[in-house]
Amino acid sequence: MFYHDPVFIHSVQQTIEILGTLAFAISGIRHAAARRYDWFGGFVCGFVVAIGGGTLRDVMLGVTPFWMTSPMYIVCTFLAQAMVILFARLLRHLDNAWFFFDTLGLALFTIAGIQKTLVCGHPFWVAIAMGCITGSAGGVIRDLLLNRPPVIFRKEIYAMASILGGLVYWLMTSLHVNVAVTVVVVFVIIVAVRILAVKYHLSLPILKDEELKKDDSQ
Amino acid sequence: MFYHDPVFIHSVQQTIEILGTLAFAISGIRHAAARRYDWFGGFVCGFVVAIGGGTLRDVMLGVTPFWMTSPMYIVCTFLAQAMVILFARLLRHLDNAWFFFDTLGLALFTIAGIQKTLVCGHPFWVAIAMGCITGSAGGVIRDLLLNRPPVIFRKEIYAMASILGGLVYWLMTSLHVNVAVTVVVVFVIIVAVRILAVKYHLSLPILKDEELKKDDSQ
Amino acid sequence: MFYHDPVFIHSVQQTIEILGTLAFAISGIRHAAARRYDWFGGFVCGFVVAIGGGTLRDVMLGVTPFWMTSPMYIVCTFLAQAMVILFARLLRHLDNAWFFFDTLGLALFTIAGIQKTLVCGHPFWVAIAMGCITGSAGGVIRDLLLNRPPVIFRKEIYAMASILGGLVYWLMTSLHVNVAVTVVVVFVIIVAVRILAVKYHLSLPILKDEELKKDDSQ
């Protein structure tokens, strides 16, 4: 059947990667715009969201950061920047589309992070952590560059969708499920968890430590 | 005698490492709680304090980050998180204990950083810098994630205890003192300097540059 | 002629490197002073401006960070710190000199970043990005440590001078121009662009995305 064709699978994967990278970069550039950064600042923020997580992963794995091996990620960031500058108003009407692409990106980058870490010979718990870093760390570095507390530490189920996907990946691999099936299931789970969390306003509990807060204000 | 037994030495070292990691992680999680971060944000802040400095060191040394080689550090962070969530009030009564464990951690991680850097073939001045980075950089990254100026740049003698220990390590090694003796002396010095600095409110001088300040406000 | 003498060229290069490192470190320490950081905080901020960009580059290239191979950069930072502490008032009268040295540093570090990346076998577009990172990333990390939005994302032509220089480097290399000529031309272009941009208050356009801003304030 057509979905067994490696060329087809590769095309699907590459399409998701491009859409995900675009969505990640657009998120960075638009947040930079809200901070009134200039074109250079916007480009850096967009690029950092798109490649920050994977770069952190690759540096810790001791391999060449992936964005240095293909100009695709810089080109996508330029494209995202042009879209934000030229079609700011139009982009707003597509917010749901970008949210969806961003979620596809999260799922794809998580899976890519897990697989690359396993290929490097690390155990599964490292791979799950790396999957989460690949999907989420770019947004954290963006928030550092925007001088504000990282949004994924306070709102939203984002990284948890990635970790949950990683745990399912590990479970299915332990049960010797076929890799292709595992990848599809994990992909769907990450996307579903993220969408349901946003739809039903699910979030993690807030930490409470009133005593320390009192200390701080003294 | 019992303290010459390598098994005994190894147990002592491992106990300090676990207590130090716990103390570092707890400090990150409690500060995240004071910022009202959620469980995920707290975990990341705790983990970053525990492993951030050593990871920065290992990446610059070109070796695999230490936390990827043993699940001990992630397990300690989970434990620390559970303690903060379940026993917040109780933890407060143990503040002195955690301060002490944190100081033990600083001393141990400094020495570990120095030794690992020397093993990698770098000169002593690099090792002293790496010892300081191993002990202190995690707290700096924590403060970046909390969106506030790093506390060790403004108050407290913290990194200086680590650097002083490094200088003594270098001096004693130059004088061909036995390694075991050197390690114990350096350990005691770092712990003593940190405790005395807190007890007597010792701190470094503040930089003065009024002219630039005037410039900034113009 | 004297300027063909490799010893002369090397001396010029090393003089610029020392002056540039001093200027970079002084900028970090003075901004730390404006934030009332202590001596340790000032030293770290100065050191980070001087070595941050090149370290990020080297970690991504997979080579030992350059500052670990020569004590020159730490010594320059100590010197810069001593100058700020002892001659704060005097330094102010030399602001134009330091601005000029800082600009020389930007040009030299950009070229060094490009050349090192090409030597490591990467394509030119990676080298241009690395040249920009070498010259600019230290200042960005400084601003993170000062807990403020990176200044090069909002004002000033700084990184763009570096990127423009990189593009000229690529163009001239494609046209098989002699390397020495290329380096001198690129150096002069980066210095000239930066000085002219400051003199005529040139800056990049600010990003506009009012819709997202409205969202944020809701």
Side-chain angles (χ1 to χ4, degrees), chain B residues 121-174:
Chain B
H122 293 285
F124 231 110
W125 62 270
V126 175
I128 296 174
M130 287 296 182
C132 178
I133 288 171
T134 310
S136 313
V140 172
I141 305 175
R142 173 202 67 195
D143 288 339
L144 295 184
L145 294 177
L146 295 171
N147 194 33
R148 64 180 195 186
V151 76
I152 67 164
F153 290 174
R154 306 224 280 187
K155 293 178 195 159
E156 306 199 26
I157 300 284
Y158 191 89
M160 286 312 292
S162 177
I163 291 171
L164 196 73
L167 290 171
V168 171
Y169 200 118
W170 168 66
L171 193 74
M172 291 179 73
T173 305
S174 307

Side-chain angles (χ1 to χ4, degrees), chain B:
Chain B
M1 274 174 303
F2 75 95
Y3 52 81
H4 276 147
D5 177 10
V7 175
F8 171 76
I9 293 173
H10 187 251
S11 302
V12 168
Q13 196 187 317
Q14 203 150 39
T15 307
I16 295 176
E17 192 167 5
I18 290 174
L19 286 177
T21 303
L22 270 177
F24 272 45
I26 286 176
S27 112
I29 298 164
R30 291 181 72 187
H31 281 102
R35 269 277 198 272
R36 311 211 34 80
Y37 282 9
D38 65 19
W39 285 12
F40 176 73
F43 184 85
V44 173
C45 287
F47 193 55
V48 152
V49 179
I51 63 108
T55 301
L56 185 55
R57 174 202 63 207
D58 289 342
V59 163
M60 291 199 287
L61 289 179
V63 302
T64 301
F66 70 106
W67 66 266
M68 291 162 63
T69 62
S70 154
M72 199 267 271
Y73 307 94
I74 279 195
V75 170
C76 275
T77 308
F78 272 115
L79 219 73
Q81 177 115 351
M83 287 165 75
V84 171
I85 292 174
L86 298 175
F87 311 117
R89 196 167 290 264
L90 188 66
L91 275 184
R92 180 158 163 69
H93 296 292
L94 295 169
D95 264 2
N96 287 331
W98 292 119
F99 167 75
F100 187 63
F101 295 156
D102 183 281
T103 304
L104 295 186
L106 173 66
L108 185 79
F109 298 148
T110 297
I111 292 170
I114 291 172
Q115 293 182 332
K116 195 164 186 177
T117 308
L118 292 176
V119 167
C120 287
H122 293 285
F124 231 110
W125 62 270
V126 175
I128 296 174
M130 287 296 182
C132 178
I133 288 171
T134 310
S136 313
V140 172
I141 305 175
R142 173 202 67 195
D143 288 339
L144 295 184
L145 294 177
L146 295 171
N147 194 33
R148 64 180 195 186
V151 76
I152 67 164
F153 290 174
R154 306 224 280 187
K155 293 178 195 159
E156 306 199 26
I157 300 284
Y158 191 89
M160 286 312 292
S162 177
I163 291 171
L164 196 73
L167 290 171
V168 171
Y169 200 118
W170 168 66
L171 193 74
M172 291 179 73
T173 305
S174 307
L175 298 172
H176 302 289
V177 178
N178 173 280
V179 176
V181 175
T182 302
V183 165
V184 171
V185 170
V186 168
F187 192 94
V188 169
I189 285 179
I190 296 177
V191 170
V193 167
R194 167 115 171 90
I195 290 178
L196 291 175
V198 167
K199 192 173 165 76
Y200 296 106
H201 303 286
L202 303 178
S203 59
L204 286 176
I206 299 294
L207 283 169
K208 276 175 208 148
D209 194 337
E210 289 168 43
E211 309 297 339
L212 186 67
K213 267 172 74 188
K214 232 191 281 169
D215 265 11
D216 266 6
S217 61
Q218 272 167 6

